[in-house]
Amino acid sequence: DNVCSGELKFHYTVHTSLDVVEEKISGVGKALADQRELYLGLLYPTEDYKVYGYVTNSKVKFVIVVDSSNTSLRDNEIRSMFRKLHNSFTDVMCNPFYNPGDPIQSKAFDSIVSTMMVQAC
Amino acid sequence: MAAAQAGLPVRLESVAGELPLPVFVGITNELEMRYPNHPSTNESQPHILGSLTGSAPHPPADRPVLRHPDTSMDKQEAWSPPRSPGISPPCSPSAYRSYPYGAQRNGTDTLLAYDGKVPGRPSVPQENSSPSHYSLKLQSEQPVITRGASVERLVERAEIDYSDEPWRITEEQREYYTNQFRSLQPDLNALIMGTVAKNFFTKSKLPIPELSHIWELSDVDKDGALTFPEFCTAFHLIVARKNGYPLPETLPATLRPGFVEPGVVTVPPSEEMGSVDLQMTSRPGVTAKQDRREESRKPEFSPKRIPDPHEKPIQRVSTLKPDSPQELDANMKSRTRPRSYSSTSMDDAMKKVEEPPTPPPRPQKTHSRASSLDLNKLFQQSGQGSRPSQHSLSAKSGWLPPPPALPPRPPATQIFSFLPSSEKSSQKAVQQPNFADFSKFREEQESSVRGGLSTEDLVPPKSDSTLRHQGHAPQKPVRRKLHPESQSATPPSATPYSAATLTKSTQRPPPKQKREIQMAIRKNRETNAVLTRLNSELQQQLKVVHRERVTLESQLELLRPVAST
């Protein structure tokens, strides 16, 4: 139950953060992706966790949820995490057998994500 | 892949159909056991080196003699005992190898493997050299043997070899892969685009997740396209998988593009690590392995290997930059690359076809260029400037502006000249402008043709096709093609002209020129045929590209509402 509720909670968090992401990326009047930074920063903090957002040029959104009690994570570290995510996501995309929209089954991608999460802890 | 599958059976048959089966079973088990060892032992490089040099029999050739009497059954038995001591890794590869060998040599090679490592090696190379075998990874063993001095090294090698054995590419396999690569992309230095490779590998009927995994393993530079070594790796993995070998988690060192070709630029050792950072972190581990390998290798060989580990870190660094996320760019590049590459490949193929015809004429002064010169004179005298335009086309890599005007034929040649120039001017952008140019020229051509002679009927179709060819083809081949193009242009024009030229040639130093012209005509006809074929292929490619474009645009449309909200 805890796991399920935990996952649900994260799903809910991510969904709500999507609204914030949309708000941030639609706020740029120039409407040129190049002029908009990919890293969105802290989307909003709650009492339990902090949510960071990142959008790619193709409107693919990455959301990282971090425990608020983890104060050792700096902004730069989050940025590097997003960069790694973006890189590995690009590699997954490069695979012609991968159809965009499918759940990512790449082991390399999974390993990168796991390593990142372990490092962040 | 279907062809590959067909190829496999053929070769297996030549060996001895049934022998392999038991061997494979053994091998698979061995392999699975090996895999845990595999990552830890990356001495495959030595093996690879050995495999590279591998066709030459190695000193321990005497081992095979010992093994000769053994049968395939013995091999299997031998496998089990090695397994228990834990030296089994060698066995599996040997088993792998043994099967083709066994067919021929009754598994002397495999036996060698059992003995461990050193003995097995020599036999493998010998086996490898036998072309009839479709043996996979025969070569890997031999290099190991030559290396070995320390037992430890041997053990390491053996483990590596064994785990890598199935993952070594033999010479026969490499040739086969080369041919397959050529069928997709004639230029061995160019890339096969992702979609092309996807279609090709999908024919192997492996499940998509496995193919996806294989792609991940083999596309080490993560560019969405396969270089020739990457292609060999992917093909090899597919073949192995079809034969029952489970896919490795990480790319075996022997299959790494950088491994097989020492000093090759593209390969970061950690294939599976997509992210740059990961590569950074994994580097220490890999370099450690490489260092180990280096040490083991140094006594034995080669300069080749030693630089590799050094190169690999460097390559990794260089790959960091390319890995920078630019999905769109990568996609665009991959998209555009195919165009230029594929067309280049076509052009190269065309070039190759065209080249043979052209040289001979040269010495006789009948080259396309020379002949065009002569023809120019001829035609000029006859009042037609077609030759000069052709001449200018063919003569220069730099493109000369075609001489103004000539009656219907010359416009065709002019068009050719325009086409080559435009093609030469740009790489990727060529396709687009060429299309535009083509359409423009075609109109001109047609209009001019209409006013032209009856013989023009021949010219427009040919020129159109040639034009298209040129438009699709990128630059270097274009130059070469100019000759054929001009020559091909000339044949249609030549036929009407030939009568005139013949008559004119009679006026000139006729016999020589006649001969030249006739030869040129012949050559042009040949190139024409090739070009028409190329044209049809390019047309098909064009259709495919159009389709892709349409799908992309529709996807864009779908995404736009999302973005706008």
Side-chain angles (χ1 to χ4, degrees):
Chain A
D1 279 338
N2 288 340
V3 174
C4 290
S5 63
E7 281 195 22
L8 262 183
K9 184 178 158 196
F10 284 125
H11 278 294
Y12 169 73
T13 308
V14 171
H15 271 283
T16 51
S17 64
L18 280 181
D19 291 336
V20 184
V21 172
E22 283 297 329
E23 177 194 329
K24 281 192 185 266
I25 62 176
S26 63
V28 178
K30 291 154 191 173
L32 286 178
D34 295 340
Q35 308 201 7
R36 182 169 48 77
E37 200 177 298
L38 301 179
Y39 176 69
L40 301 176
L42 182 62
L43 295 180
Y44 70 92
T46 70
E47 66 281 2
D48 290 336
Y49 45 77
K50 300 185 241 185
V51 182
Y52 296 91
Y54 181 94
V55 178
T56 73
N57 286 326
S58 52
K59 301 284 187 276
V60 177
K61 302 164 187 65
F62 296 118
V63 175
I64 291 183
V65 179
V66 184
D67 203 18
S68 284
S69 56
N70 189 347
T71 51
S72 63
L73 268 185
R74 295 200 201 86
D75 195 56
N76 285 337
E77 295 173 11
I78 304 281
R79 280 181 194 263
S80 70
M81 283 167 72
F82 275 126
R83 219 176 306 124
K84 280 189 225 174
L85 257 183
H86 198 170
N87 284 339
S88 41
F89 181 73
T90 311
D91 294 336
V92 170
M93 281 291 153
C94 281
N95 189 332
F97 298 103
Y98 170 76
N99 301 314
D102 291 350
I104 295 178
Q105 286 159 340
S106 154
K107 297 197 187 84
F109 185 80
D110 292 341
S111 67
I112 291 173
V113 172
S114 320
T115 313
M116 230 166 46
M117 301 213 305
V118 166
Q119 285 172 353
C121 289
Chain B
M1 285 313 301
Q5 293 303 316
L8 261 179
V10 169
R11 293 210 173 108
L12 288 180
E13 286 165 3
S14 71
V15 174
E18 299 182 10
L19 274 179
L21 289 179
V23 171
F24 272 132
V25 170
I27 295 175
T28 322
N29 296 337
E30 297 276 355
L31 281 177
E32 286 169 10
M33 293 175 55
R34 290 306 161 293
Y35 280 148
N37 298 332
H38 178 72
S40 59
T41 56
N42 281 335
E43 299 185 5
S44 54
Q45 284 195 4
H47 298 303
I48 297 178
L49 286 178
S51 61
L52 285 178
T53 59
S55 52
H58 285 264
D62 53 347
R63 298 299 181 129
V65 177
L66 294 176
R67 299 303 173 188
H68 256 295
D70 296 330
T71 60
S72 58
M73 284 308 299
D74 293 343
K75 294 176 205 170
Q76 288 180 349
E77 291 170 15
W79 285 335
S80 45
R83 229 180 273 169
S84 44
I87 304 184
S88 50
C91 294
S92 53
S94 59
Y96 194 84
R97 275 171 292 147
S98 62
Y99 107 72
Y101 290 118
Q104 291 185 354
R105 293 195 185 177
N106 297 329
T108 54
D109 296 330
T110 54
L111 295 176
L112 292 178
Y114 295 128
D115 285 337
K117 320 148 189 182
V118 176
R121 306 283 156 66
S123 59
V124 178
Q126 296 167 357
E127 292 296 344
N128 289 335
S129 55
S130 61
S132 62
H133 280 309
Y134 190 83
S135 54
L136 311 172
K137 296 107 189 186
L138 300 174
Q139 297 176 347
S140 52
E141 296 189 45
Q142 285 192 347
V144 177
I145 299 177
T146 49
R147 308 271 164 84
S150 63
V151 176
E152 188 181 358
R153 247 183 316 172
L154 282 178
V155 173
E156 283 180 341
R157 292 220 193 96
E159 289 180 26
I160 297 172
D161 282 345
Y162 292 136
S163 50
D164 291 341
E165 286 306 341
W167 306 118
R168 283 234 184 137
I169 303 181
T170 65
E171 285 302 317
E172 295 94 12
Q173 291 173 335
R174 189 161 291 284
E175 283 176 24
Y176 186 77
Y177 299 154
T178 310
N179 294 336
Q180 291 296 315
F181 187 93
R182 287 226 181 87
S183 73
L184 295 177
Q185 170 61 280
D187 182 7
L188 281 186
N189 292 324
L191 299 167
I192 290 187
M193 298 324 298
T195 42
V196 173
K198 175 183 176 181
N199 295 336
F200 181 73
F201 289 134
T202 307
K203 293 186 212 160
S204 71
K205 301 205 178 64
L206 283 181
I208 296 291
E210 294 196 10
L211 288 173
S212 178
H213 185 59
I214 287 177
W215 177 276
E216 261 185 51
L217 290 179
S218 31
D219 188 12
V220 283
D221 50 5
K222 301 290 176 197
D223 58 355
L226 296 180
T227 62
F228 176 59
E230 289 174 347
F231 175 83
C232 288
T233 305
F235 208 121
H236 202 68
L237 287 169
I238 289 177
V239 166
R241 187 77 188 98
K242 295 274 315 179
N243 286 321
Y245 286 90
L247 287 181
E249 290 299 317
T250 57
L251 191 66
T254 53
L255 279 182
R256 295 198 187 118
F259 184 82
V260 179
E261 298 166 322
V264 165
V265 181
T266 49
V267 190
S270 52
E271 299 79 7
E272 282 215 340
M273 304 308 183
S275 72
V276 169
D277 294 341
L278 277 184
Q279 284 177 352
M280 307 265 321
T281 53
S282 61
R283 210 174 283 164
V286 181
T287 47
K289 287 178 197 168
Q290 288 175 342
D291 292 340
R292 239 201 308 158
R293 260 180 262 157
E294 270 189 84
E295 291 167 1
S296 59
R297 277 177 295 161
K298 272 176 190 173
E300 298 150 348
F301 13 1
S302 47
K304 269 189 197 175
R305 288 302 163 191
I306 294 172
D308 277 349
H310 297 306
E311 289 175 5
K312 281 189 181 170
I314 297 174
Q315 291 163 359
R316 274 184 247 179
V317 173
S318 59
T319 54
L320 287 178
K321 303 202 181 141
D323 284 348
S324 63
Q326 290 289 338
E327 295 179 63
L328 293 180
D329 291 349
N331 287 339
M332 286 184 53
K333 276 185 209 159
S334 57
R335 291 288 150 87
T336 51
R337 246 192 255 131
R339 278 194 223 127
S340 53
Y341 283 116
S342 57
S343 52
T344 327
S345 63
M346 293 263 217
D347 295 336
D348 288 345
M350 291 299 304
K351 219 198 309 187
K352 288 172 195 162
V353 174
E354 299 162 4
E355 282 175 16
T358 50
R362 279 192 197 148
Q364 306 169 11
K365 265 197 175 182
T366 53
H367 325 180
S368 51
R369 294 183 191 164
S371 58
S372 64
L373 278 171
D374 296 336
L375 290 172
N376 285 336
K377 288 182 199 160
L378 284 176
F379 288 122
Q380 279 170 358
Q381 296 181 6
S382 65
Q384 298 172 359
S386 59
R387 290 306 172 184
S389 60
Q390 291 171 358
H391 167 58
S392 63
L393 287 177
S394 55
K396 314 274 165 160
S397 58
W399 159 76
L400 298 181
L406 311 170
R409 285 295 150 83
T413 59
Q414 281 175 358
I415 295 176
F416 290 123
S417 63
F418 280 122
L419 290 176
S421 60
S422 58
E423 291 168 349
K424 289 173 194 166
S425 55
S426 56
Q427 282 286 341
K428 292 174 185 175
V430 165
Q431 301 250 344
Q432 305 300 328
N434 283 344
F435 288 132
D437 292 342
F438 279 122
S439 55
K440 246 196 304 174
F441 289 123
R442 215 170 286 157
E443 292 170 0
E444 293 178 17
Q445 185 191 5
E446 288 171 5
S447 61
S448 62
V449 167
R450 273 178 230 126
L453 309 169
S454 57
T455 51
E456 291 167 350
D457 294 338
L458 293 175
V459 178
K462 289 245 171 93
S463 57
D464 284 347
S465 60
T466 51
L467 284 177
R468 276 185 229 123
H469 291 169
Q470 287 179 343
H472 291 273
Q475 303 52 18
K476 299 183 219 168
V478 174
R479 289 198 198 135
R480 304 285 183 133
K481 274 191 178 182
L482 289 180
H483 275 299
E485 291 297 342
S486 57
Q487 288 182 349
S488 59
T490 53
S493 55
T495 50
Y497 288 143
S498 58
T501 54
L502 282 179
T503 54
K504 288 182 185 160
S505 59
T506 52
Q507 300 164 8
R508 295 185 185 94
K512 217 198 278 183
Q513 283 172 354
K514 253 192 220 170
R515 255 181 273 122
E516 292 173 3
I517 294 168
Q518 281 162 3
M519 286 187 59
I521 290 173
R522 232 180 304 125
K523 298 212 168 88
N524 287 337
R525 288 215 183 105
E526 290 167 14
T527 53
N528 250 349
V530 179
L531 287 173
T532 42
R533 200 167 26 89
L534 178 65
N535 184 29
S536 55
E537 288 171 8
L538 288 170
Q539 289 291 316
Q540 284 170 10
Q541 277 185 359
L542 176 62
K543 282 182 203 152
V544 171
V545 170
H546 273 316
R547 252 180 269 134
E548 288 175 7
R549 185 178 157 204
V550 168
T551 50
L552 280 175
E553 282 176 3
S554 60
Q555 283 175 9
L556 251 181
E557 287 300 323
L558 286 173
L559 288 172
R560 253 189 234 133
V562 175
S564 59
T565 53

